[in-house]
Amino acid sequence: MTLPLLKMAIVGHTNAGKTSLLRTLLRDVNFGEISASPGTTTEVTGCKLLVDGIKAVQLYDTPGLEDSISLLEHLESKRTSHQTDGHKLVKDFLSSEDAAGRFNQEAKALREVLKVDVALYVVDARERMLAKYRDELRILGYCAKPIVPVLNFTASETAITAEWREQLAKVNMHAVAEFDTVVLESEGERRLFEKIRSLLDSHRNTIDALVKDRQHERASIIRSSAHTIANMLLDAASYSIVTEAENKSQTDEAIDKLKNDIREREQQCVAALLDLHRFKNDDYTARDLPLDDGSWGEDLFSPEAIKDYGIKGGGGAVAGAMVGLTVDVMFGGISLGAATVIGAAVGALVGASGTLGKELLRKFQGKKCLRCDDSTLQILAAREIELVRALLHRGHADIKPVQPRTGANQQLANEAQEIAKLFSKARNRPTWCRINPDHNKETVIMDVARDRLLENTATRLTEILTD
Amino acid sequence: MTASLAQPKLQDRASARTSDRLLAESVRLYESASTEPLDDKDAVDAAIALEDADFESRIIARAESLSVSESIRNALAKSKRIIFLTLCALVLIAVIAGGVAANAALMENTANVFALIAGLLGIQTLLLFVWLVLNILVSGLSSRTISGGGGLLGRVAVFCSQKVISILHLDAFCVAAFAARFRVATTGKSGRWTVATLTHCLWLAINLGILAQLAILFIGEGYQFRWDSTWLSSNDTYRGLITSLAAIPEWAGFTVPTAEQIDASRVIDAAGNIVQDAKTREAWSWLFFGSVVIYGLMPRTLLFVISILFQRCAVSKYRLDLDLPEYVKLRTRLLNQAEITELHDSTSAVKTHEETGTEGKSEIARIRPVGKPAIVGLEITEPECGWPLPFTNLVIDLGLIDGRDDEHRVIAELSSSDTSPERLLVVCECSTTPDRGVKRIIREFKAAASSDVSLVLTAGRAKATEGADAKALAQRLEDWKTLAVSVGIDQEDVIELDLDHLTAQTRSQLNALVNREDSLKESSGALDKAFRLIDKHTKAWRNSVSMREQVELQQQVGNCFKHSRSGLRDLTGIISAKFDFNDPAALTINLKSAAARFTDILPPALRMNPKWLAAGALAGAAGCTAAAIALFPAAIAALPAWSLIGASIGAAVSSLTSTTKNAEVETGTDTISLDDAIRAAVIYAVVLETQLLSEAAISRVLESTFKDEDSPIDNISTWLKEIKHKVELAIVEEMKK
């Protein structure tokens, strides 16, 4: 595959977020130096965007334009007649001494603009369109290159996007992109590329390939999130602790341990999801996510959690320490859950794993088995689905703060119920659980049925998360 | 793992890529199982260095460059051997099982033809059909095959491999290697074909076992073959069946029984024994042997070959699942486009000659009379309180400016004005970035105004935002301060004000800046300081004080109020550029008007009191001298003898007090009494403290402070303390109004 290399320069007023835009496009949080102070980038830096590992776009980060008013004045003072075109003015300026002197920064940026196919003009949409920005645009206009204004920080409440569009239209800038570099949002990025494409037909294929690559990347992240959630749910569903039926203190201990282990497992999952979505703690704001300082504020094992997610509790009468848990008590060798257990046992015993044999044996030895109940699984599923949705839609203007919840979301509850149901097979498979202390590593990673279950759940979750 | 059965063969010829992927997959599984992350910096670098390589290739490159890759390769080789040996053992078991089955079918010397056929071929043919149905007719369900009916053998294989791993106590590398082989062999279509290969391979072995046992039995034992029927008397049906069964073996060259021989095999003699010649028996035996070859061995061999081909094909199509969380996390790192090419401009060597903040002092400021303060809004949105700012009628409004034309206008206005503004207030939006352009403009304004500049930062809009980043705002404020310093504005002249939300505090701050009506809070410290100064100085003095000492004291007192930008607004109106220390006549006139200015402020009650009148006049004349010296330091060099100035002050004072008989200040002398000196200094301090109030208010303060204070001062410190207390009370009273 050969694609014509697309060269883009990122220009703009100082501190408008040029390097941030580049980082976002690169998906590399460590590129360049960023600070809130002006003039952080003083040299032109270049980097590549790859499509399928092949270099498709060359990006240049330029120092900020700081004193466009006097630069424009300077340029126009050199204008010998009305016929002198802007392009020549810029060229003459770049070879003049002033370009090395007081307009050094501006000269570096302009020199890049002359070299590239398109320039992205980054704007802090929270500010008004001041005369200096108009002057910047005029100078850039002299360079005679396509320019796409990129309105940054559009997710901010103080952003005056409409006003900017109006003002830009007045200077004949109509292909304006909105792109918040803080809250990465795939839709905004795609539109940005489309705007570039509208101005650069010669690079249509490159941009199309890039857009496709980005779509693929997003799908991949969704799928990966689904995998992460499925793994966590499987661990929670298959986690069980066996205690002596009569030993009260041992049971209490086991209840605490079970709850803590599952809470911890959920936290791992949340951390992994945040990581997958390249979510950094410093760009966290309360309205972005339903989280409270990186974790779910509400305890998993609380009646409120069940109520909040509109989940119909299985037991109804469960309260106190047993909220969200279930126990199989033995009566003369037959457990309360005997019907389901034995039903599943036939299949499992025929199968090769034989784990259920042990399980049954335990039950016949006067022990009881603690595990989280279906409502807990549903809450886990609902919460994580909600989290991934929030992560995926960060930056959409219409996103409402997820807290406080106004009422149970019936669709979410149904989805959670459906997902939790998929794990009924895992209930009697303590060896499938990676948090279980007595699991065998080899059986966990080499169990076809387990893989299949994970795969199916991940597929379904991907569907749920995609729409 | 089942696929691994075919893996040994596959490895030799299949593309090397599959083995690479296998390695990558093993590494992934190893990493996900291990608790500590691997040190993969070098490996990642190696992967990034690849030119034009896709994500998968880079994952593989990373896996290959990891330090654990050698151990994992060994583990993969080991797992291959284990699988091969397990496979051999299974094949051997299958061969034996086939032999046992053949033996069981030929338990007796007289064998029933149909029972024998069913025993040798029945089950396997049935299962073959099941397999065909599952794989061809229901191929849509193929992905489930492995756990479905056809997968029984597959499950056995999984179980075996699990047992092998736990029996052999294999290390984490081997576990990962097994798991990876298992994944490669069971993902997608390869799972189905792996199971098929295994199944057909084992049935092939079983058939070989059967054939071997049949051959042994037929060689070593004499068998008779018969058939019979209770209901069907005619031989035709059976003959037909057997002939059609025999057709293919016969075509393949096996001897098969003729029609007569078939018929004869039903005939039983009187003793119940079958009458069969050796030829018939041989023909029957070859039919059975041939049937197993044709109907058992041949299809299984064929299917085995087909399966293995498909399996290999499927395995070679195996791709890493790049959507797995572990890989997605690697994506940014490996596909890192961070090939950063630092482009040093040819010009970058030239250091931007940044004008530093010392400028402005070097240029000779045009000396103009000082006028009202001026205010200008630089690139700001009109604040909610409106523009011009309320309560600023005492300032020159230069408007809100944005752009070149505005800049030129303001500079022109500032430099063409007859007076230089007492102070230029530049209002900027704190949330915007202080850039070089802003810096240039402020610098130009400062030069044009030739006066001090205060930077007023309004942050209303940003602060009003819910969840505004306080840290970022603080950073901006720092940036502005840096800018201020670089253009020669003192740190304390950078003031943060919320012009959008005018609170009482903002108002008073604003007024203090512009109108100076409410600097009480700020300056009360100054009053304190001034009083301490007076206390200190006068204690050291004797009864008679020279004018010079008095002027110096008042100058220092004046300095205490510098912070509140006293500027001696009213006094400066008197001190003109013409203030000439060398011309006694003019000096006296000037000082006289200054003294008069002060005595005018005195309330009638005090003006009637000669003591206070004299003190007021002295305060005015000496204060004016002090201010003049401070304002025109250059003039000091040309100062005449102090006696002359002192005499002029004395003359100015006496001219005002001479109407009163009890004047205590002697005309023309340059010495004054300590009492007068203290009173004058105190009046001066109080006037400075209250200078932002209206004149009536100042008078009221002076009246309530000094009206009962005409007895001689005994203890200076106590007296000063009392006075200070009274002043403060009076000011508070005044503020309430």
Side-chain angles (χ1 to χ4, degrees), chain A residues 13 15 26-27 37 44 46 48 53 66-67 73 106 108 126 128 131-132 158 220 224 351-352 452, chain B residues 52-53 146 155 159 323 325 332 337 339 341 343 345 379-380 402 408 435-436 440 461 465 475-476 479:
Chain A
H13 195 75
N15 225 3
L26 273 181
R27 307 277 190 270
S37 300
V44 176
K48 297 170 187 173
E66 290 200 37
D67 196 0
E73 196 173 359
E106 283 81 4
K108 282 180 193 166
R126 297 171 300 187
R128 277 188 314 134
K132 55 186 175 188
T158 47
S220 175
S224 194
R452 192 71 60 197
Chain B
D52 290 356
I146 195 152
R155 282 196 157 223
F159 181 73
D323 293 343
T332 345
Q337 304 86 347
E339 243 180 79
T341 31
L343 297 175
D345 253 297
E379 294 177 349
I380 60 167
D402 177 22
H408 288 315
D435 55 44
R436 249 178 25 247
R440 176 186 54 77
R461 217 156 64 89
T465 316
Q475 172 65 41
R476 280 290 151 92
D479 293 336

Side-chain angles (χ1 to χ4, degrees), chain A residues 100-208:
Chain A
R102 63 184 176 127
F103 296 119
N104 179 3
Q105 303 267 299
E106 283 81 4
K108 282 180 193 166
L110 291 180
R111 208 166 277 137
E112 265 350 282
V113 174
L114 289 182
K115 281 190 226 160
V116 296
D117 302 306
V118 62
L120 303 184
Y121 175 71
V122 185
V123 159
D124 184 342
R126 297 171 300 187
E127 291 194 18
R128 277 188 314 134
M129 175 129 177
L130 296 167
K132 55 186 175 188
Y133 302 136
R134 256 178 238 124
D135 287 354
E136 282 167 12
L137 283 167
R138 268 181 78 182
I139 297 170
L140 289 173
Y142 286 172
C143 295
K145 292 282 179 180
I147 291 168
V148 180
V150 180
L151 304 182
N152 192 8
F153 303 110
T154 46
S156 161
E157 276 172 33
T158 47
I160 40 170
T161 314
E163 204 179 312
W164 266 99
R165 283 184 174 279
E166 199 182 308
Q167 292 291 333
L168 285 166
K170 284 184 190 161
V171 289
N172 273 324
M173 296 272 171
H174 300 287
V176 180
E178 287 172 32
F179 191 76
D180 198 301
T181 52
V182 177
V183 280
L184 167 64
E185 191 236 318
S186 59
E187 202 52 12
E189 193 184 44
R190 190 178 58 77
R191 284 201 208 106
L192 168 64
F193 288 135
E194 276 168 7
K195 296 281 153 61
I196 298 171
R197 191 177 59 185
S198 71
L199 295 180
L200 271 184
D201 202 50
S202 52
H203 291 78
R204 170 173 290 274
N205 290 340
T206 309
I207 297 167
D208 282 344

